[in-house]
Coordinates of all heavy atoms in Angstrom, one line a residue:
M1397 N 0.8 -1.2 0.1 CA 0.0 -0.1 0.0 C 0.9 1.3 0.1 O 0.5 2.2 -0.7 CB -0.9 -0.1 1.3 CG -1.9 1.1 1.3 SD -3.1 0.8 -0.2 CE -4.5 1.3 0.7
N1398 N 2.0 1.2 0.8 CA 2.9 2.4 0.9 C 3.5 2.7 -0.4 O 3.7 3.9 -0.9 CB 3.8 2.2 2.0 CG 4.0 3.2 2.9 OD1 3.4 4.2 2.7 ND2 4.8 3.1 3.9
R1399 N 3.9 1.6 -1.1 CA 4.5 1.7 -2.4 C 3.6 2.3 -3.5 O 4.0 3.3 -4.2 CB 5.1 0.4 -2.9 CG 6.0 0.5 -4.2 CD 6.5 -0.7 -4.4 NE 7.3 -0.7 -5.6 CZ 7.9 -1.7 -6.4 NH1 7.6 -2.9 -6.0 NH2 8.6 -1.4 -7.5
A1400 N 2.4 2.0 -3.5 CA 1.5 2.5 -4.5 C 1.1 4.0 -4.2 O 1.1 4.8 -5.2 CB 0.1 1.7 -4.3
L1401 N 1.2 4.4 -3.0 CA 1.0 5.7 -2.6 C 2.1 6.7 -3.1 O 2.0 7.7 -3.6 CB 0.8 5.9 -1.1 CG 0.5 7.3 -0.5 CD1 -0.7 8.0 -1.2 CD2 0.4 7.3 0.9
T1402 N 3.3 6.1 -2.9 CA 4.5 6.8 -3.2 C 4.6 7.0 -4.7 O 4.9 8.2 -5.3 CB 5.8 6.0 -2.8 OG1 5.8 5.9 -1.4 CG2 7.1 6.8 -3.2
I1403 N 4.3 6.0 -5.4 CA 4.4 6.1 -7.0 C 3.3 7.0 -7.5 O 3.5 7.8 -8.3 CB 4.1 4.7 -7.6 CG1 5.2 3.8 -7.3 CG2 3.8 4.7 -9.1 CD1 5.0 2.4 -7.8
T1404 N 2.1 7.1 -6.8 CA 1.0 8.0 -7.1 C 1.5 9.5 -7.0 O 1.2 10.3 -7.7 CB -0.3 7.7 -6.4 OG1 -0.7 6.4 -6.7 CG2 -1.4 8.7 -6.8
L1405 N 2.2 9.7 -5.7 CA 2.6 11.0 -5.5 C 3.6 11.6 -6.4 O 3.6 12.7 -6.8 CB 3.1 11.0 -4.0 CG 2.1 11.1 -2.9 CD1 2.8 10.9 -1.5 CD2 1.3 12.4 -3.0
V1406 N 4.5 10.6 -6.8 CA 5.6 11.0 -7.7 C 5.1 11.3 -9.1 O 5.5 12.3 -9.7 CB 6.7 9.9 -7.9 CG1 7.7 10.1 -8.9 CG2 7.4 9.8 -6.5
L1407 N 4.2 10.5 -9.5 CA 3.5 10.8 -10.9 C 2.8 12.1 -10.8 O 2.7 12.8 -11.7 CB 2.6 9.7 -11.3 CG 3.4 8.4 -11.6 CD1 2.4 7.4 -12.0 CD2 4.1 8.6 -12.9
G1408 N 2.1 12.4 -9.7 CA 1.3 13.6 -9.5 C 2.2 14.8 -9.5 O 1.9 15.8 -10.2
L1409 N 3.3 14.7 -8.9 CA 4.3 15.9 -8.9 C 4.9 16.0 -10.3 O 5.1 17.2 -10.8 CB 5.4 15.6 -7.8 CG 5.0 15.7 -6.5 CD1 6.3 15.2 -5.5 CD2 4.6 17.1 -6.1
A1410 N 5.1 15.0 -11.0 CA 5.7 15.1 -12.4 C 4.6 15.8 -13.4 O 5.0 16.8 -14.1 CB 6.0 13.8 -12.9
V1411 N 3.5 15.4 -13.2 CA 2.4 16.0 -14.0 C 2.3 17.5 -13.6 O 2.1 18.4 -14.5 CB 1.1 15.3 -13.8 CG1 -0.1 16.1 -14.5 CG2 1.2 14.0 -14.5
T1412 N 2.3 17.9 -12.4 CA 2.1 19.2 -11.9 C 3.4 20.0 -12.4 O 3.1 21.2 -12.9 CB 2.1 19.3 -10.4 OG1 0.9 18.5 -9.9 CG2 1.9 20.8 -9.9
A1413 N 4.6 19.6 -12.3 CA 5.7 20.3 -12.9 C 5.6 20.5 -14.4 O 6.0 21.7 -14.9 CB 7.1 19.6 -12.5
A1414 N 5.2 19.6 -15.1 CA 5.1 19.8 -16.5 C 4.0 20.9 -16.8 O 4.2 21.6 -17.7 CB 4.6 18.5 -17.2
A1415 N 3.0 20.8 -16.1 CA 1.9 21.8 -16.3 C 2.3 23.3 -16.0 O 2.0 24.2 -16.7 CB 0.7 21.5 -15.4
C1416 N 3.2 23.4 -15.1 CA 3.7 24.7 -14.7 C 4.7 25.2 -15.8 O 4.7 26.4 -16.2 CB 4.5 24.7 -13.4 SG 3.4 24.5 -12.0
T1417 N 5.5 24.3 -16.4 CA 6.4 24.6 -17.5 C 5.5 25.2 -18.7 O 5.9 26.1 -19.3 CB 7.2 23.5 -17.8 OG1 8.0 23.2 -16.6 CG2 8.1 23.8 -19.0
E1418 N 4.6 24.3 -18.9 CA 3.6 24.7 -20.0 C 2.9 26.2 -20.0 O 2.8 26.9 -20.9 CB 2.6 23.6 -20.4 CG 3.2 22.4 -20.9 CD 3.9 22.5 -22.2 OE1 3.4 23.3 -23.2 OE2 5.1 22.0 -22.4
S1419 N 2.4 26.3 -18.7 CA 1.8 27.6 -18.5 C 2.7 28.9 -18.6 O 2.5 29.8 -19.1 CB 1.0 27.6 -17.1 OG 1.9 27.6 -16.0
R1420 N 4.0 28.5 -18.2 CA 5.0 29.6 -18.2 C 5.3 29.9 -19.7 O 5.5 31.0 -20.1 CB 6.3 29.2 -17.5 CG 7.3 30.4 -17.4 CD 8.5 30.0 -16.6 NE 8.4 28.8 -15.8 CZ 9.4 27.9 -15.7 NH1 10.5 28.0 -16.4 NH2 9.3 26.8 -14.9
R1421 N 5.5 28.9 -20.4 CA 5.7 28.9 -21.8 C 4.6 29.7 -22.6 O 4.9 30.6 -23.5 CB 5.9 27.7 -22.6 CG 7.3 27.0 -22.4 CD 7.5 25.8 -23.1 NE 8.7 25.2 -22.7 CZ 9.0 23.9 -22.9 NH1 8.2 23.2 -23.7 NH2 10.3 23.4 -22.6
A1422 N 3.3 29.4 -22.3 CA 2.3 30.1 -23.0 C 2.2 31.5 -22.6 O 1.9 32.4 -23.3 CB 1.0 29.4 -22.4
R1423 N 2.5 32.0 -21.3 CA 2.6 33.2 -20.8 C 3.6 34.0 -21.5 O 3.4 35.2 -22.0 CB 2.7 33.3 -19.3 CG 2.7 34.7 -18.7 CD 3.0 34.8 -17.2 NE 4.4 34.5 -17.0 CZ 4.8 33.6 -16.2 NH1 3.9 32.8 -15.5 NH2 6.1 33.3 -15.9
N1424 N 4.8 33.4 -21.7 CA 5.9 34.1 -22.3 C 5.6 34.3 -23.8 O 5.9 35.4 -24.4 CB 7.2 33.3 -22.2 CG 7.8 33.5 -20.8 OD1 7.4 34.4 -20.1 ND2 8.7 32.6 -20.5
D1425 N 5.0 33.3 -24.5 CA 4.5 33.5 -25.9 C 3.6 34.5 -26.1 O 3.6 35.4 -27.0 CB 3.9 32.2 -26.3 CG 5.0 31.1 -26.7 OD1 6.2 31.4 -26.8 OD2 4.6 30.0 -26.9
A1426 N 2.7 34.8 -25.1 CA 1.6 35.8 -25.2 C 2.3 37.3 -25.0 O 1.9 38.1 -25.6 CB 0.5 35.5 -24.2
T1427 N 3.3 37.2 -24.1 CA 3.9 38.5 -23.7 C 4.9 39.0 -24.7 O 4.9 40.1 -25.1 CB 4.6 38.4 -22.3 OG1 3.7 38.0 -21.4 CG2 5.3 39.7 -22.0
F1428 N 5.7 38.0 -25.3 CA 6.8 38.5 -26.1 C 6.7 38.0 -27.6 O 7.6 38.3 -28.4 CB 8.2 37.8 -25.7 CG 8.5 38.3 -24.3 CD1 8.5 37.2 -23.2 CD2 8.8 39.5 -24.0 CE1 8.9 37.6 -22.0 CE2 9.1 40.0 -22.6 CZ 9.1 39.0 -21.6
S1429 N 5.5 37.4 -28.0 CA 5.5 36.8 -29.3 C 5.6 37.8 -30.5 O 6.0 37.6 -31.5 CB 4.1 36.1 -29.5 OG 3.0 37.1 -29.4
D1430 N 5.2 39.2 -30.2 CA 5.2 40.1 -31.4 C 6.4 41.1 -31.3 O 6.5 42.1 -32.1 CB 3.9 40.8 -31.6 CG 3.5 41.5 -30.3 OD1 4.1 41.3 -29.2 OD2 2.6 42.3 -30.4
R1431 N 7.3 41.0 -30.4 CA 8.2 42.0 -30.2 C 9.6 41.6 -30.7 O 10.0 40.5 -30.7 CB 8.5 42.3 -28.6 CG 7.0 43.0 -28.2 CD 7.0 43.4 -26.7 NE 8.1 43.5 -26.0 CZ 8.1 43.3 -24.7 NH1 7.0 43.0 -24.0 NH2 9.2 43.5 -23.9
P1432 N 10.4 42.5 -31.3 CA 11.6 42.2 -31.9 C 12.6 41.9 -30.7 O 12.4 42.3 -29.5 CB 12.1 43.5 -32.6 CG 10.9 44.4 -32.6 CD 9.8 43.8 -31.7
A1433 N 13.6 41.2 -31.1 CA 14.6 40.9 -30.0 C 16.1 41.0 -30.6 O 16.3 40.7 -31.8 CB 14.4 39.5 -29.6
D1434 N 17.2 41.3 -29.7 CA 18.5 41.2 -30.1 C 19.0 39.9 -29.8 O 18.6 39.4 -28.6 CB 19.3 42.3 -29.4 CG 18.9 43.7 -29.8 OD1 18.7 43.9 -30.9 OD2 18.7 44.6 -28.9
I1435 N 19.6 39.2 -30.7 CA 20.0 37.8 -30.5 C 21.4 37.7 -30.6 O 22.1 38.2 -31.6 CB 19.3 37.0 -31.5 CG1 17.8 37.1 -31.4 CG2 19.7 35.5 -31.4 CD1 16.9 36.4 -32.5
T1436 N 22.2 37.0 -29.7 CA 23.5 36.8 -29.7 C 23.7 35.2 -29.4 O 23.3 34.7 -28.4 CB 24.4 37.6 -28.8 OG1 24.1 39.0 -29.0 CG2 25.8 37.4 -29.0
C1437 N 24.4 34.5 -30.3 CA 24.6 33.0 -30.0 C 26.1 32.6 -30.1 O 26.9 33.3 -30.8 CB 23.9 32.2 -31.1 SG 22.1 32.4 -31.1
W1438 N 26.4 31.7 -29.2 CA 27.8 31.2 -29.1 C 27.9 29.7 -29.3 O 26.9 29.1 -29.0 CB 28.4 31.6 -27.8 CG 28.5 33.0 -27.5 CD1 29.4 33.9 -27.7 CD2 27.5 33.8 -26.8 NE1 29.2 35.0 -27.3 CE2 28.0 35.1 -26.7 CE3 26.1 33.5 -26.3 CZ2 27.3 36.1 -26.1 CZ3 25.5 34.4 -25.8 CH2 26.0 35.8 -25.7
T1439 N 29.0 29.1 -29.8 CA 29.2 27.7 -29.8 C 30.6 27.4 -29.3 O 31.5 28.1 -29.9 CB 29.0 27.2 -31.2 OG1 27.8 27.4 -31.7 CG2 29.3 25.7 -31.3
Y1440 N 30.8 26.8 -28.2 CA 32.1 26.6 -27.6 C 32.7 27.9 -27.3 O 34.0 28.1 -27.4 CB 33.0 25.6 -28.4 CG 32.3 24.3 -28.6 CD1 31.8 23.9 -29.9 CD2 32.3 23.4 -27.5 CE1 31.3 22.7 -30.0 CE2 31.6 22.1 -27.7 CZ 31.3 21.8 -29.0 OH 30.7 20.6 -29.0
G1441 N 31.9 28.8 -26.9 CA 32.6 30.1 -26.4 C 33.0 31.1 -27.6 O 33.4 32.2 -27.4
V1442 N 32.7 30.7 -28.8 CA 32.9 31.5 -30.0 C 31.6 32.1 -30.5 O 30.6 31.3 -30.7 CB 33.7 30.7 -31.1 CG1 33.8 31.6 -32.3 CG2 34.9 30.2 -30.7
E1443 N 31.5 33.5 -30.7 CA 30.2 34.0 -31.1 C 30.0 33.6 -32.6 O 30.9 33.8 -33.4 CB 30.3 35.6 -31.1 CG 29.1 36.2 -31.4 CD 29.1 37.7 -31.2 OE1 29.3 38.2 -30.1 OE2 29.2 38.4 -32.3
T1444 N 28.9 33.0 -32.8 CA 28.5 32.5 -34.2 C 27.3 33.2 -34.9 O 27.2 33.2 -36.0 CB 28.0 31.0 -34.0 OG1 26.9 30.8 -33.1 CG2 29.3 30.1 -33.6
F1445 N 26.6 34.0 -34.1 CA 25.5 34.9 -34.7 C 25.3 36.1 -33.8 O 25.4 36.0 -32.5 CB 24.3 34.1 -34.9 CG 23.2 34.8 -35.4 CD1 23.1 35.0 -36.7 CD2 22.2 35.5 -34.6 CE1 22.0 35.9 -37.3 CE2 21.2 36.3 -35.1 CZ 21.2 36.4 -36.4
K1446 N 25.1 37.3 -34.3 CA 24.6 38.5 -33.7 C 23.8 39.1 -34.6 O 24.1 39.5 -35.7 CB 25.8 39.3 -33.3 CG 25.4 40.4 -32.4 CD 26.7 41.1 -31.8 CE 26.1 42.1 -30.8 NZ 27.2 42.5 -30.0
G1447 N 22.6 39.4 -34.3 CA 21.5 40.1 -35.2 C 20.4 40.5 -34.3 O 20.3 40.4 -33.1
R1448 N 19.3 40.8 -35.2 CA 17.9 41.1 -34.6 C 16.8 40.4 -35.3 O 16.9 40.3 -36.5 CB 17.9 42.6 -34.8 CG 16.7 43.2 -34.0 CD 16.9 44.8 -34.0 NE 15.7 45.5 -33.4 CZ 15.5 45.6 -32.1 NH1 16.3 45.1 -31.3 NH2 14.4 46.1 -31.7
S1449 N 15.9 40.1 -34.5 CA 14.7 39.5 -35.2 C 13.6 40.5 -35.6 O 13.6 41.6 -34.9 CB 14.0 38.5 -34.2 OG 13.3 39.1 -33.2
T1450 N 12.8 40.2 -36.5 CA 11.7 41.3 -36.8 C 10.5 41.0 -35.8 O 9.6 41.9 -35.7 CB 11.1 41.0 -38.2 OG1 10.6 39.6 -38.3 CG2 12.2 41.4 -39.3
G1451 N 10.5 40.0 -35.1 CA 9.4 39.7 -34.2 C 9.6 38.5 -33.4 O 10.7 38.2 -32.8
K1452 N 8.6 37.5 -33.4 CA 8.7 36.3 -32.5 C 9.8 35.5 -32.7 O 10.3 35.1 -33.9 CB 7.4 35.4 -32.7 CG 7.3 34.3 -31.8 CD 6.0 33.5 -32.1 CE 5.9 32.4 -31.2 NZ 4.6 31.7 -31.2
V1453 N 10.4 35.0 -31.6 CA 11.6 34.0 -31.7 C 11.0 32.7 -31.1 O 10.5 32.6 -30.1 CB 12.8 34.5 -30.8 CG1 13.8 33.4 -30.8 CG2 13.2 35.8 -31.3
E1454 N 11.1 31.6 -31.9 CA 10.6 30.4 -31.6 C 11.8 29.4 -31.0 O 12.8 29.5 -31.5 CB 10.0 29.6 -32.8 CG 8.8 30.4 -33.3 CD 8.2 29.8 -34.6 OE1 8.9 28.9 -35.2 OE2 7.2 30.2 -35.2
Y1455 N 11.4 28.7 -30.0 CA 12.5 28.0 -29.3 C 12.0 26.4 -29.5 O 11.0 26.0 -29.4 CB 12.5 28.2 -27.8 CG 12.7 29.6 -27.4 CD1 11.6 30.6 -27.4 CD2 14.0 30.1 -27.3 CE1 12.0 31.9 -27.1 CE2 14.3 31.3 -27.1 CZ 13.3 32.3 -26.9 OH 13.5 33.6 -26.7
N1456 N 13.1 25.7 -29.8 CA 13.1 24.2 -29.8 C 13.7 23.6 -28.6 O 14.7 24.1 -28.1 CB 13.8 23.8 -31.1 CG 13.8 22.4 -31.3 OD1 14.2 21.5 -30.5 ND2 13.7 22.0 -32.6
D1457 N 13.2 22.5 -28.2 CA 13.8 21.8 -26.9 C 15.2 21.5 -27.1 O 15.9 21.3 -26.3 CB 12.9 20.7 -26.5 CG 11.6 21.1 -25.9 OD1 11.6 22.2 -25.5 OD2 10.7 20.2 -26.0
G1458 N 15.6 21.3 -28.3 CA 17.0 20.9 -28.7 C 18.0 22.0 -28.7 O 19.2 21.7 -29.0
G1459 N 17.6 23.2 -28.3 CA 18.5 24.3 -28.3 C 18.6 25.2 -29.6 O 19.4 26.1 -29.6
R1460 N 17.7 24.9 -30.5 CA 17.6 25.6 -31.8 C 16.6 26.8 -31.6 O 15.4 26.6 -31.1 CB 17.3 24.7 -32.8 CG 17.2 25.4 -34.2 CD 17.0 24.5 -35.3 NE 18.1 23.8 -35.5 CZ 18.2 22.8 -36.5 NH1 17.2 22.7 -37.4 NH2 19.4 22.1 -36.6
I1461 N 16.9 28.0 -32.1 CA 16.0 29.0 -32.2 C 15.6 29.3 -33.6 O 16.6 29.1 -34.5 CB 16.4 30.3 -31.4 CG1 17.7 30.9 -31.9 CG2 16.5 30.0 -29.9 CD1 18.0 32.2 -31.4
A1462 N 14.5 29.9 -33.9 CA 14.2 30.3 -35.2 C 13.4 31.6 -35.3 O 12.7 31.9 -34.3 CB 13.1 29.2 -35.8
F1463 N 13.8 32.4 -36.3 CA 13.2 33.7 -36.3 C 13.4 34.3 -37.7 O 14.1 33.9 -38.5 CB 13.8 34.7 -35.2 CG 15.3 34.7 -35.4 CD1 15.9 35.7 -36.2 CD2 16.1 33.7 -34.8 CE1 17.3 35.7 -36.4 CE2 17.5 33.8 -35.0 CZ 18.0 34.7 -35.7
V1464 N 12.8 35.5 -38.0 CA 13.0 36.2 -39.2 C 14.0 37.2 -38.9 O 13.9 38.1 -38.0 CB 11.6 36.8 -39.8 CG1 11.9 37.7 -41.0 CG2 10.7 35.7 -40.1
D1465 N 15.2 37.2 -39.6 CA 16.3 38.1 -39.4 C 16.0 39.5 -40.0 O 15.5 39.7 -41.1 CB 17.5 37.5 -40.1 CG 18.8 38.3 -39.8 OD1 18.7 39.4 -39.3 OD2 19.9 37.7 -40.1
A1466 N 16.1 40.5 -39.2 CA 15.7 41.9 -39.6 C 16.8 42.4 -40.7 O 16.3 43.2 -41.5 CB 15.6 42.8 -38.3
A1467 N 17.9 41.9 -40.7 CA 18.9 42.4 -41.7 C 18.6 42.0 -43.1 O 18.7 42.8 -44.1 CB 20.3 41.9 -41.3
N1468 N 17.9 40.8 -43.3 CA 17.8 40.3 -44.7 C 16.4 39.8 -44.9 O 16.1 39.4 -46.0 CB 18.8 39.3 -45.0 CG 18.7 38.1 -44.2 OD1 17.8 37.8 -43.5 ND2 19.8 37.4 -44.1
G1469 N 15.5 39.8 -43.9 CA 14.1 39.3 -44.0 C 13.9 37.9 -44.2 O 12.9 37.3 -44.6
R1470 N 15.0 37.1 -44.0 CA 14.9 35.6 -44.2 C 14.7 34.9 -43.0 O 15.1 35.3 -41.8 CB 16.3 35.1 -44.7 CG 16.6 35.6 -46.1 CD 17.9 35.0 -46.7 NE 18.1 35.5 -48.0 CZ 19.2 35.2 -48.6 NH1 20.1 34.4 -48.1 NH2 19.4 35.6 -49.8
Y1471 N 13.9 33.8 -43.1 CA 13.6 32.9 -41.9 C 15.1 32.2 -41.6 O 15.7 31.7 -42.4 CB 12.6 31.9 -42.3 CG 12.2 31.0 -41.1 CD1 11.3 31.4 -40.2 CD2 12.6 29.7 -41.1 CE1 11.0 30.6 -39.2 CE2 12.4 28.8 -40.0 CZ 11.5 29.3 -39.0 OH 11.0 28.5 -38.1
T1472 N 15.4 32.3 -40.4 CA 16.7 31.9 -39.8 C 16.7 30.9 -38.7 O 15.8 31.2 -37.8 CB 17.6 33.1 -39.5 OG1 17.7 34.0 -40.6 CG2 19.0 32.7 -39.2
T1473 N 17.5 29.9 -38.6 CA 17.5 29.1 -37.5 C 18.9 29.0 -37.0 O 19.9 29.1 -37.8 CB 17.2 27.6 -37.8 OG1 18.0 27.1 -38.8 CG2 15.7 27.6 -38.1
V1474 N 19.1 29.0 -35.7 CA 20.5 29.0 -35.1 C 20.6 28.0 -34.0 O 19.7 27.9 -33.2 CB 20.9 30.4 -34.6 CG1 22.2 30.4 -33.9 CG2 20.7 31.5 -35.6
D1475 N 21.7 27.3 -34.0 CA 21.9 26.3 -32.8 C 23.0 26.9 -32.0 O 23.9 27.5 -32.5 CB 22.4 24.9 -33.4 CG 21.4 24.1 -34.1 OD1 20.2 24.1 -33.5 OD2 21.7 23.5 -35.1
G1476 N 23.0 26.4 -30.7 CA 23.9 27.0 -29.9 C 23.4 27.6 -28.5 O 22.3 27.6 -28.3
E1477 N 24.2 28.3 -27.8 CA 23.8 28.8 -26.6 C 23.5 30.3 -27.0 O 24.4 31.1 -27.5 CB 25.0 29.0 -25.5 CG 25.4 27.6 -25.1 CD 24.4 26.9 -24.2 OE1 23.6 27.7 -23.4 OE2 24.0 25.7 -24.3
C1478 N 22.3 30.7 -26.9 CA 21.8 32.0 -27.4 C 21.2 32.9 -26.2 O 20.5 32.5 -25.4 CB 20.8 31.9 -28.4 SG 21.3 31.0 -29.9
R1479 N 21.5 34.2 -26.4 CA 20.9 35.1 -25.3 C 19.9 35.9 -26.3 O 20.2 36.4 -27.3 CB 21.9 36.0 -24.8 CG 21.4 37.1 -23.9 CD 22.3 38.1 -23.3 NE 23.0 38.9 -24.5 CZ 24.2 39.4 -24.4 NH1 24.9 39.2 -23.4 NH2 24.7 40.0 -25.4
V1480 N 18.8 36.0 -25.8 CA 17.6 36.6 -26.6 C 17.1 37.8 -25.6 O 16.6 37.6 -24.6 CB 16.5 35.8 -27.0 CG1 15.4 36.4 -27.7 CG2 17.0 34.6 -27.9
V1481 N 17.3 39.0 -26.1 CA 16.9 40.1 -25.3 C 15.8 40.8 -26.1 O 16.0 41.5 -27.2 CB 18.0 41.1 -24.9 CG1 17.6 42.4 -24.2 CG2 19.2 40.5 -24.4
Y1482 N 14.6 40.9 -25.6 CA 13.5 41.5 -26.2 C 13.5 43.1 -25.9 O 13.8 43.6 -24.9 CB 12.1 40.9 -25.6 CG 11.9 39.5 -26.1 CD1 12.2 38.5 -25.4 CD2 11.3 39.3 -27.3 CE1 12.0 37.1 -25.9 CE2 11.0 38.1 -27.8 CZ 11.5 37.0 -27.1 OH 11.3 35.7 -27.6
S1483 N 13.0 43.8 -27.0 CA 12.9 45.3 -26.9 C 11.8 45.6 -25.9 O 10.8 44.9 -25.8 CB 12.6 45.7 -28.2 OG 13.6 45.4 -29.2
P1484 N 12.0 46.7 -25.2 CA 10.9 47.1 -24.3 C 9.7 47.5 -25.1 O 9.7 48.0 -26.1 CB 11.5 48.3 -23.6 CG 12.6 48.7 -24.3 CD 13.2 47.6 -25.2
S1485 N 8.5 47.4 -24.5 CA 7.3 47.7 -25.1 C 7.1 49.2 -25.2 O 7.5 50.0 -24.3 CB 6.1 47.0 -24.4 OG 6.0 47.6 -23.1
K1486 N 6.4 49.8 -26.1 CA 6.3 51.1 -26.3 C 5.0 51.6 -25.8 O 4.0 51.0 -25.6 CB 6.4 51.5 -27.7 CG 7.7 51.3 -28.3 CD 7.9 51.5 -29.8 CE 9.1 51.3 -30.3 NZ 9.3 51.6 -31.7

């Protein structure tokens, strides 16, 4: 009986943690989805990309980001450690 209760509690905590992550992602998407961002990415400590998006920056669980580059208007994807700084709202 004790083991079943422990398994149920662990599964309940895992579901709760996943729900919190999803709600945070949804809130961030709603807040930052239409604002441009300054993006800088590094791979092994070497800067590989520095630029600006025209709007929303999409995130992949594998560490890839995707956005429309403001410099050339092209859809761009970048792998690596990236810092994304959103412009303040007007």
Side-chain angles (χ1 to χ4, degrees):
M1397 186 68 138
N1398 230 356
R1399 186 174 182 192
L1401 181 62
T1402 303
I1403 291 172
T1404 304
L1405 283 173
V1406 169
L1407 288 175
L1409 288 173
V1411 169
T1412 303
C1416 290
T1417 301
E1418 290 301 317
S1419 72
R1420 186 174 352 128
R1421 284 184 185 167
R1423 183 183 69 234
N1424 287 343
D1425 283 346
T1427 304
F1428 299 115
S1429 64
D1430 60 344
R1431 295 182 16 208
D1434 293 316
I1435 302 167
T1436 307
C1437 297
W1438 300 268
T1439 301
Y1440 298 109
V1442 177
E1443 187 175 289
T1444 56
F1445 179 83
K1446 187 169 189 168
R1448 187 167 178 82
S1449 74
T1450 59
K1452 182 177 184 174
V1453 177
E1454 298 174 352
Y1455 300 89
N1456 178 319
D1457 289 337
R1460 178 178 290 188
I1461 62 171
F1463 56 94
V1464 176
D1465 192 342
N1468 57 25
R1470 294 182 179 177
Y1471 185 75
T1472 305
T1473 60
V1474 180
D1475 285 319
E1477 296 294 320
C1478 296
R1479 179 181 65 206
V1480 178
V1481 180
Y1482 288 94
S1483 300
S1485 60
K1486 294 181 181 181

